[in-house]
Amino acid sequence: MRRILLGSQLRRLRESRGITREAAGYSIRASESKISRMELGRVSFKARDVEDLLTLYGVADEAERESLLALAREANVAGWWHSYGDVLPGWFQTYIGLEGAASLIRIYEVQFVHGLLQTEAYAHAVVSRGMPGARAADVDKRVALRLERQKILVSERAPRLHVVLDEAALRRPYGNRAVMQGQLRHLIEVSEQSNVTVQVMPFSFGGHAGESGAFTMLRFPESDLSDLVYLEQLTSALYLDKREEVAQYERVMERLHEESPGADESRDLLRGLLQLT
């Protein structure tokens, strides 16, 4: 997350001075593509490179320089999730860092209950289904990571979480009957937390705004960072931050919020599904 924040600030400084990526790259003996990767937070930062860029961008105030250099040092410190690197693809490590730094997480899910709301038994069933032939130890480690991620919901700086679950995600069985019942009970319980809102988009509504599939929107407390849209694929992920693209997903998310039953009615739907399971 700190890499992305620092990269965003460096990009803002560069653009405010009208300096091209090519010129910035030349100043640190690097290519235009490296500047692009730095601004996207996809590479580590060398203190010397940051110092040279700040000089090029006319940042002379010592306090501002030291603040950004401190951020560069922090950006190179590995997050807690890196200890799961043997079972976690690199592209998803980026997402975990962003998820942990967000102040608002909005999700639409259609395939299964989102990872932040899964029980241990349900998560084990989902991971096992998604990793056929995997060693039991690797499945267990993936599940442990998922449970560790959930701690942000009860942390001191817990984000607001707003999830819209398509009814299909709740009716598709993962694990046995007891697993599904436990998952539905957990959803009812967690939806009562003050920072968590769960809505269910029922089959009875028919076609709806989420026709393009699952997506996640992240908002950050730092004013320099724009909202991000996260789209997960089989072997990679897309991070959209262009204003016009984010705006389209924002409109879809707002329609999903408006068209789905409210939190109380959605809890009633969850209770009804629990009785049917």
Side-chain angles (χ1 to χ4, degrees):
M1 172 58 196
R2 291 183 178 90
R3 288 184 184 181
I4 293 177
L5 177 56
L6 178 57
S8 175
Q9 292 181 321
L10 290 175
R11 180 178 63 181
R12 175 178 55 80
L13 288 168
R14 178 182 60 77
E15 291 177 344
S16 70
R17 302 302 191 277
I19 297 172
T20 65
R21 287 195 182 95
E22 183 179 8
Y26 181 81
S27 74
I28 62 168
R29 304 151 298 280
S31 64
E32 177 182 353
S33 62
K34 180 176 179 179
I35 295 296
S36 178
R37 292 194 300 274
M38 289 176 68
E39 292 180 350
L40 290 170
R42 294 178 179 173
V43 293
S44 58
F45 292 88
K46 294 180 181 178
R48 177 185 172 185
D49 289 344
V50 176
E51 288 176 350
D52 289 347
L53 288 173
L54 293 178
T55 299
L56 177 66
Y57 301 157
V59 180
D61 182 78
E62 284 303 319
E64 184 177 3
R65 288 178 69 92
E66 180 51 36
S67 174
L68 291 169
L69 287 169
L71 190 58
R73 290 190 292 270
E74 294 170 3
N76 292 327
V77 177
W80 62 264
W81 54 89
H82 286 272
S83 62
Y84 293 87
D86 56 333
V87 295
L88 190 64
W91 52 266
F92 192 63
Q93 293 183 33
T94 300
Y95 172 75
I96 294 178
L98 292 167
E99 180 183 77
S103 57
L104 172 63
I105 304 172
R106 289 177 291 174
I107 295 163
Y108 169 63
E109 188 60 76
V110 64
Q111 176 69 15
F112 39 62
V113 174
H114 190 268
L116 287 177
L117 299 176
Q118 293 178 5
T119 64
E120 183 174 0
Y122 183 92
H124 197 280
V126 171
V127 173
S128 297
R129 186 81 58 86
M131 299 175 62
R135 296 185 309 152
D138 289 343
V139 172
D140 290 345
K141 197 165 186 180
R142 280 280 188 104
V143 173
L145 168 66
R146 196 157 297 184
L147 298 178
E148 188 69 26
R149 283 170 55 202
Q150 295 177 7
K151 291 180 180 179
I152 65 170
L153 297 180
V154 292
S155 66
E156 186 177 339
R157 297 176 60 234
R160 286 183 294 135
L161 176 67
H162 196 153
V163 180
V164 178
L165 294 171
D166 195 283
E167 187 175 340
L170 301 169
R171 287 187 175 272
R172 183 173 292 106
Y174 281 92
N176 58 28
R177 183 184 178 194
V179 170
M180 291 302 298
Q181 289 179 330
Q183 180 60 67
L184 288 168
R185 289 193 190 96
H186 179 67
L187 284 172
I188 294 168
E189 292 171 5
V190 76
S191 70
E192 306 224 355
Q193 289 181 209
S194 60
N195 62 317
V196 177
T197 301
V198 176
Q199 291 181 267
V200 177
M201 171 55 78
F203 286 150
S204 60
F205 187 85
H208 56 75
E211 60 187 7
S212 62
F215 65 97
T216 298
M217 298 190 72
L218 302 174
R219 179 169 295 167
F220 306 97
E222 293 84 4
S223 59
D224 287 337
L225 287 180
S226 62
D227 288 4
L228 279 180
V229 175
Y230 171 75
L231 302 172
E232 189 169 313
Q233 300 174 331
L234 184 61
T235 59
S236 62
L238 291 176
Y239 296 89
L240 308 179
D241 65 351
K242 291 183 178 178
R243 185 173 300 177
E244 60 273 19
E245 292 180 323
V246 172
Q248 290 188 53
Y249 280 91
E250 178 80 35
R251 287 191 289 271
V252 170
M253 187 66 81
E254 289 300 326
R255 286 180 60 193
L256 285 168
H257 291 171
E258 292 169 4
E259 295 171 353
S260 300
D264 290 339
E265 190 176 346
S266 290
R267 267 192 292 274
D268 289 339
L269 287 170
L270 289 169
R271 294 185 184 103
L273 288 171
L274 179 58
Q275 292 177 354
L276 294 173
T277 303

